[in-house]
Every structure is written in structure tokens, then in C-alpha cells.
Amino acid sequence: MSFAVTLPDGSKKEFNEPVSVKELASSIATSLGKAAVGAKINGTVKPLDYVVDQDVEAAIITDKDEEGLDILRATAAFLFEAVVKREYDNIRLGQHEASEDGFFVDTDKENQIKVSELPKLEKAMQKAIKNGEKIEYTTMDKSELEGLFKDDPFKLDLLKNEADEVAVYKLGDFVDFGFEALLPNTGKIKQFKLLSVAGAYWMGKSSNPMLQRIFGTAFFKAADLEADLKRREEIKERDHRTIGRDLDLFFVDPKVGAGLPYWLPKGATIRRVIERYIIDKEVADGYKHVYTPVLMNLDAYKTSGHWAHYRDDMFPPMDMGDGEMLELRPMNCPSHIQIYKHHIRSYRDLPLRIAELGMMHRYEKSGALSGLQRVREMTLNDGHTFVELDQVQEEFAKVLKLIMDVYKDFDITDYYFRLSYRDPKNTDKYFANDEMWERSQKMLKAAMDDLGLDYVEAEGEAAFYGPKLDIQTKTALGNDETMSTIQLDFMLPERFGLTYVGKDGEEHRPVMIHRGIVGTMERFIAYLIEIYKGAFPTWLAPVQAEIIPVNLDAHSEYAKKVEEELNKRGFRAEVDNRNEKLGYKIRESQTQKVPYTLVLGDDEMNAGNVNVRPYGTEDQITMSLDEFINKIDADVKSYSREK
């Protein structure tokens, strides 16, 4: 027997007998053998004790590689499974996964694991790590595994997708499958932490049983684990769901509708301020604002292509009983097309800019829903401009300027531009018209080049009907997210037969530009909550000034007068009339992150002054009420930016 192993640099190593991945690594270099944690064999990750006995391509994986971290985390997940099986005889195991964010294991038992039990399970894992227990890689017949898991319906369900011979790992008497590669013994797990407990529907379907998902993470170095735990703590502090609850902004109750947010008065105030701001900006920029129904005849979405491309993300059509099928709209484009078609259009009408805060519905799976970021009902800051061909680049620049102006007012600075093109090989996702795609992609690129802006190009990120500019932001949690888009569309005007009468008196086809300035209200406000950590700038804060009388009997009347004067000037102020201690009420105002706390006692009342305590500082500044009104007015008008 002889075979060759081709290495990443193209060189080959010849062998006359089977060789393990560990032996292969050592044959390349002794240091590589020590650092190896696995290998990619013909593109598939394999463990150190996997045996190679034929011609293959191989790349050794070390603890410096991303795949190495995945192997470590998968090993930690496997050890956790083995430990919970030892601790709880009646526990059943579901899915497991290792990723860039750690690992998770789904479990099920009569009394679910409590967060308070995680330290005990960590100790049991640490004991196994200290003992350096062997993890054995082997294969077993599928039928044998079915017998082994006869009392575990979740494992039996997973086994349906396995071949007759299944790769498994053993730790003592414990056996499991579904892992690509694990470390050869528990002693190789250096640093780990069990993090949290959550519910997870089996296979992500709400009709299936709810299991318990245990999250954890693992690293090769203690410093990396410590940094990750600090990062996670920062995420907790910025989590818009937690802040939204603490500041009483919104709630989502699965009992009355998963993924359907209820906006409480304070959250509704923030949203209303943003909506008014956006509408005013767009109207000033030449947009005609409209209202269109959230329901539309299904045929419109068949014409647009949404039904063919996004059917799985749309709610089931409603049969009205007379042959009419109505659909909750997933996009606003066909609605704005109807506005365009309602009148005969001339070249003099173009560019025609139509905008709407349009409510849409998406059929998101229960397991994907998350606070305001992933919802089933959303309101998009949507707009569509219909232009002549030679107006495209000028209008593109105009839209981009509007986006940049909005970003400035919200103090959004961490973003980059991405030109999103089609993948020409993906004929299922993108409609077939090579000429249109080449033309529109060149136009988009030329517009960016003319503006002198840097951008990255991404194949396969376009909408099904045309290329787009995506403005990608970094969230407070470090995630890359699309905030704004500008899309060129030659397809929908063709499909809906849109025309305008040109200077020559003939009918011509307009180009349609889709654009979203800040995306959906839901996702944008979630983004702002996390960026600001709930401490909204004065112009956005639901309560801009909290007024606290030192003595309810002596100072409430003056506090009411200050409140009325501020509210009359258009500011959002309220008096704290609760029968609580002064210190408590001041701390509560800080906890609620109110920009200005006004404390009113005898001195303030007698002089017509206010004692101002800005949020996040120890400052106490006494000034006249008129001076404070000028201060807060300047703060609001400057969008709370420092002069």
C-alpha cells in the first residue's frame, strides 16, 4: 500500500502504511505535531486519531485556527453532555453546536436545569478535565445506536439523517454522534464557562416540544476567555430587550403574539419623534408621503416576483370566499407602484419620489424572533423614486446625501459602503436578464466612483430584482448589520408595465430606485437603544426633564408651574409626585437615564430658578427657568451634539 498526502503548499508526503492525523502532523514538523488539534481532510474536519489510508488533500489545524477553536468548543459541548448524563439519569439530549460564539447543548428532563445548577456542572466538568479522560473516535452501526438511544426520541430523530455507519465519540460509557472532530482527551480543554439557560423549540418549530438550551464557551487561553466574558457583560448591559424592559419602552408577549411588539408610552414617544423627524426630512427633500393598505391582492406579489422568491417568508394568503386572495404585504414596492400607475405620468413629473412609513409582515420562525430586531410586524422607512434613465446617478447621489444627513443627526459614524451584486450562477434567486444586471451594476458602481467614495463589492447580496448599495453599520454588540439601502430596479417597471410620456411624446419605461433611510422603526430603535445604552440624547429622550419637588406640600405647586411652562414650549417634562425620599427620587431619575433632573426647593421657588443635574454627571447647576429653557432648546435643536 502506498498513498500520497497533498499539503496546502502543493507539496506531497508519501506513506506506505495508514497514518493518523497526529502522526501526519508530526511527520511534517515536530512542533506542528504538538500544536495540532485536527485536520481538514479533503475539506472535511477530522480528529487527531482519524486514520488516512489513501490519496487525500490535508491541512493541519492548530489552536491558532478558527477551526481549532470550533474543535475545542465541540469537545466542551461533548463533555457537558457526558457530565449531565452522569448527573441526571433521566435527561435526554437534543441538538448541539459549536460556533464562533461558543457552544450550546439542548436538553430535556422533567425538572429542567436551573441557572443555579451550572456551577455544580462546571465543577463536574473540571474534574473530568483534571483527570484527562480519554475521548475515543470510532464508528458504530446505525441500528446499534438506535438501540442505545431507544428511550431518547430526540436522538432517534437525529439518527434518521445518518448513514448506516455513523462516526461517534465515546467518553467512558457515554456515546454521542454529530461531531466533526473532538480533542483526544478532556485534559485538552483549557478554559471554559457555562453561560446561560434558555428555551428552544425542537428543530426550531413552535409546534414541537420546548427543550432547554444550555450555552457555554471555551478558549485555549485564559486571557481570551476573560476578554470574552467582559464582552458578554457589555452585551448584557446594552441588550435592547433588557433596557427596553427596565426603561418601560416596549414588551413582547408570546401569549398574545410572538414577534409583535407593544410600544409603551415612553417607547412610543421615541418612535414618534423619529417618525416625525424622518417625514419632515423627506418632505423637505421632495418626497410625497402616502398611506397604503397592509393587505394586497396576492396577484400583485406574483407579478412582482415576491411570491416566487419570498413565499416562505410571507404569511399564508387569506381566501375572501369570492375568489379574491389577500396577502399581508412583505414589501411596500407594489403598493407604491400602484400610486405611480394611478395617473398618466409625464417626464415633467420625474423624478417622482414616494415615501411611506409602511407597515409590513414577515413570517419569521419563532426561534428566530428577538426583541425588536427580528419581528413579524414592522414599519419600514420606505421610499421609491421613479426616474428617467439619465436621472439615475443624480438621484442616487441625492438619496445618499439624505442618508448621510440623517446619520449625522443620530451621531452614527461607524459604517461602510457595500455594493451588492447578483451571483450570476444563482439563477433561482435572481431573474435572468444579463443585459439588465450588467447595465444596472455598472451604473451603481459609476455613481459611487463619481462621488469618490470607498466601498467593498459583494457578489450574491443583491435583491432579486436589482443591485444595491448597502450601508453596513457596526452595532454596539459588534455585529455587522445593514442600516440603509439604495437599490436600482429595471425589472418591476417592466413587469408592471410602468410608463411615462417623454419629450418626444412617446411612452418610455422609468427606472425605479428603492431606498430605506434607517430601515424599520423596530430594528433602528433597537440599534439606538444599544448604541446609547438607553441614555437617549435630549432630542430623543421620552422624558427630557424630571422635576422633583424637595417637599411635596411646599414645592409641588412651583414644580407644576415649571412642568407646564416646559410642556408649553414643546419639551417633555414630568413631575415626580410620589411620596418617596428625595434621594431615592433623584437616583430613580438617573436610573431612568433622564437627561435633566430639576430639583426644586425654597431657594429655587423664591428666585424662580431650577437646580439642574445633568444625567451621568455629579454637577448641580442653579439657573433661572428661562436660562434652562434656552439650554434645553439649544440641546434639542443641535440634536444633542456638543458645540
Side-chain angles (χ1 to χ4, degrees):
M1 166 193 282
S2 66
F3 59 92
V5 176
T6 304
L7 302 177
D9 63 1
S11 63
K12 293 186 178 183
K13 289 194 72 69
E14 303 283 344
F15 295 93
N16 294 319
E17 56 185 26
V19 60
S20 71
V21 166
K22 175 75 171 176
E23 291 167 338
L24 170 62
S26 297
S27 73
I28 298 169
T30 303
S31 58
L32 187 62
K34 292 179 180 178
V37 296
K40 269 189 175 180
I41 305 296
N42 291 337
T44 301
V45 177
K46 296 294 183 183
L48 289 175
D49 46 4
Y50 177 81
V51 175
V52 179
D53 59 3
Q54 58 185 314
D55 292 349
V56 296
E57 293 181 355
I60 303 301
I61 299 170
T62 73
D63 58 10
K64 302 293 190 299
D65 300 313
E66 287 184 16
E67 293 94 340
L69 201 54
D70 289 342
I71 291 172
L72 172 68
R73 289 169 175 170
T75 309
F78 176 75
L79 176 58
F80 173 79
E81 287 185 330
V83 163
V84 293
K85 269 293 190 182
R86 294 172 187 173
E87 296 289 326
Y88 312 108
D89 290 337
N90 63 338
I91 199 165
R92 298 181 294 186
L93 300 173
Q95 293 176 296
H96 49 70
E97 184 176 299
S99 70
E100 62 182 12
D101 198 45
F103 66 85
F104 72 75
V105 173
D106 288 346
T107 67
D108 182 58
K109 70 186 188 76
E110 187 173 345
N111 296 308
Q112 299 286 38
I113 296 171
K114 301 181 181 66
V115 174
S116 58
E117 295 177 74
L118 296 185
K120 177 187 74 172
L121 296 172
E122 280 185 350
K123 285 184 179 179
M125 291 175 68
Q126 287 164 348
K127 183 178 178 181
I129 292 169
K130 187 177 180 180
N131 293 339
E133 298 177 23
K134 183 180 179 182
I135 298 173
E136 181 187 357
Y137 168 76
T138 186
T139 59
M140 292 178 65
D141 289 338
K142 183 176 180 177
S143 58
E144 187 179 355
L145 284 171
E146 287 171 340
L148 186 64
F149 294 116
K150 65 181 187 300
D151 297 323
D152 193 328
F154 306 112
K155 285 297 179 187
L156 290 176
D157 201 7
L158 292 171
L159 271 171
K160 292 176 183 176
N161 300 318
E162 296 291 333
D164 291 338
E165 188 175 65
V166 184
V168 302
Y169 288 89
K170 293 183 176 182
L171 180 62
D173 295 332
F174 177 71
V175 178
D176 198 12
F177 61 95
F179 294 97
E180 274 191 325
L182 300 182
L183 297 171
N185 67 75
T186 60
K188 299 289 185 179
I189 303 173
K190 300 298 183 184
Q191 303 289 332
F192 78 96
K193 181 72 178 173
L194 297 180
L195 298 168
S196 60
V197 174
Y201 289 111
W202 175 240
M203 295 297 186
K205 295 181 180 179
S206 57
S207 56
N208 286 342
M210 173 73 80
L211 304 188
Q212 190 173 43
R213 181 162 289 180
I214 313 295
F215 291 93
T217 192
F219 288 88
F220 287 104
K221 296 180 180 178
D224 291 338
L225 176 61
E226 184 180 348
D228 185 67
L229 294 178
K230 285 182 179 178
R231 178 187 68 85
R232 291 176 187 276
E233 194 59 38
E234 176 73 7
I235 287 174
K236 280 185 183 179
E237 290 178 7
R238 291 186 183 272
D239 191 321
H240 79 279
R241 295 166 297 183
T242 303
I243 295 172
R245 181 197 64 218
D246 293 345
L247 299 186
D248 212 26
L249 303 180
F250 71 92
F251 71 87
V252 180
D253 187 348
K255 293 178 183 177
V256 292
L260 303 174
Y262 283 71
W263 294 88
L264 295 165
K266 289 182 178 179
T269 297
I270 297 169
R271 175 169 170 166
R272 187 166 57 250
V273 171
I274 294 172
E275 289 178 346
R276 286 174 176 169
Y277 164 87
I278 287 291
I279 290 172
D280 288 346
K281 291 286 282 189
E282 291 178 337
V283 169
D285 217 37
Y287 285 87
K288 309 296 184 184
H289 258 263
V290 300
Y291 295 99
T292 58
V294 297
L295 288 168
M296 200 174 202
N297 193 297
L298 179 61
D299 289 342
Y301 297 112
K302 290 182 177 179
T303 300
S304 70
H306 288 99
W307 184 248
H309 290 275
Y310 294 136
R311 184 183 309 183
D312 291 343
D313 298 321
M314 297 168 67
F315 278 90
M318 289 173 269
D319 189 342
M320 305 310 292
D322 56 359
E324 183 182 28
M325 301 292 286
L326 292 181
E327 176 66 32
L328 281 169
R329 69 177 174 195
M331 290 287 188
N332 302 312
C333 337
S335 301
H336 292 182
I337 285 172
Q338 298 309 311
I339 298 281
Y340 181 92
K341 290 182 69 175
H342 189 63
H343 294 293
I344 296 172
R345 303 295 178 179
S346 159
Y347 71 93
R348 293 187 179 89
D349 299 323
L350 307 184
L352 177 62
R353 305 178 183 95
I354 298 172
E356 178 179 12
L357 292 170
M359 184 180 290
M360 312 182 307
H361 294 81
R362 304 278 176 88
Y363 186 57
E364 296 277 6
K365 292 182 179 179
S366 297
L369 299 172
S370 177
L372 296 177
Q373 287 177 326
R374 293 292 293 271
V375 293
R376 287 174 171 160
E377 178 184 274
M378 64 218 74
T379 299
L380 181 64
N381 162 223
D382 209 358
H384 298 89
T385 304
F386 301 86
V387 298
E388 295 182 87
L389 187 62
D390 61 4
Q391 295 173 329
V392 167
Q393 288 187 223
E394 183 180 351
E395 187 64 22
F396 177 89
K398 185 178 178 67
V399 173
L400 190 54
K401 182 181 183 303
L402 175 60
I403 292 173
M404 295 299 98
D405 287 347
V406 171
Y407 280 20
K408 181 180 178 183
D409 290 340
F410 284 96
D411 198 25
I412 298 170
T413 58
D414 191 2
Y415 60 86
Y416 67 93
F417 300 111
R418 182 183 76 188
L419 289 184
S420 297
Y421 305 141
R422 70 160 175 169
D423 176 357
K425 298 174 185 175
N426 190 341
T427 54
D428 291 333
K429 181 177 179 181
Y430 303 107
F431 81 99
N433 186 327
D434 291 341
E435 182 183 352
M436 186 288 299
W437 281 104
E438 290 300 321
R439 183 186 200 184
S440 56
Q441 289 177 177
K442 283 180 180 177
M443 290 182 76
L444 200 61
K445 182 176 173 61
M448 290 296 287
D449 290 340
D450 285 350
L451 292 169
L453 296 172
D454 293 329
Y455 55 85
V456 299
E457 297 174 287
E459 190 177 273
E461 294 294 336
F464 74 88
Y465 47 76
K468 56 180 178 165
L469 170 70
D470 289 322
I471 304 180
Q472 301 295 112
T473 58
K474 280 287 185 186
T475 68
L477 310 184
N479 299 320
D480 200 48
E481 192 171 272
T482 301
M483 177 73 73
S484 311
T485 60
I486 310 174
Q487 304 172 359
L488 297 188
D489 183 359
F490 290 79
M491 186 195 81
L492 292 186
E494 184 73 32
R495 287 193 171 184
F496 282 94
L498 303 188
T499 61
Y500 67 91
V501 179
K503 291 179 183 178
D504 57 4
E506 300 294 324
E507 287 190 342
H508 299 273
R509 192 80 70 206
V511 180
M512 191 173 175
I513 299 177
H514 307 245
R515 44 106 289 194
I517 304 299
V518 294
T520 68
M521 288 297 107
E522 290 74 14
R523 182 170 285 188
F524 185 57
I525 292 174
Y527 168 83
L528 294 179
I529 289 172
E530 295 181 351
I531 287 292
Y532 298 142
K533 254 186 180 177
F536 285 91
T538 308
W539 76 284
L540 281 176
V543 177
Q544 296 168 323
E546 185 79 6
I547 304 165
I548 303 176
V550 174
N551 183 289
L552 289 178
D553 294 330
H555 309 124
S556 287
E557 188 174 335
Y558 179 56
K560 188 67 177 173
K561 178 184 173 183
V562 171
E563 178 190 40
E564 289 174 354
E565 187 64 26
L566 288 171
N567 289 342
K568 184 174 71 176
R569 302 291 187 98
F571 304 113
R572 297 183 291 277
E574 61 180 30
V575 177
D576 189 342
N577 276 320
R578 293 176 298 167
N579 189 23
E580 298 284 355
K581 292 181 179 180
L582 177 63
Y584 173 83
K585 291 199 279 191
I586 292 173
R587 287 192 300 274
E588 182 71 7
S589 180
Q590 291 287 306
T591 300
Q592 289 296 302
K593 307 181 190 249
V594 178
Y596 295 107
T597 301
L598 308 183
V599 180
L600 309 181
D602 286 338
D603 292 343
E604 288 77 24
M605 182 176 67
N606 294 333
N609 289 338
V610 290
N611 181 268
V612 183
R613 305 181 183 208
Y615 171 75
T617 74
E618 299 294 328
D619 297 344
Q620 296 184 41
I621 310 159
T622 298
M623 62 182 70
S624 70
L625 179 57
D626 285 342
E627 286 175 321
F628 176 70
I629 287 172
N630 290 335
K631 176 179 175 58
I632 193 173
D633 186 52
D635 201 4
V636 170
K637 285 179 178 175
S638 68
Y639 300 104
S640 307
R641 292 193 296 265
E642 293 292 332
K643 296 289 186 182

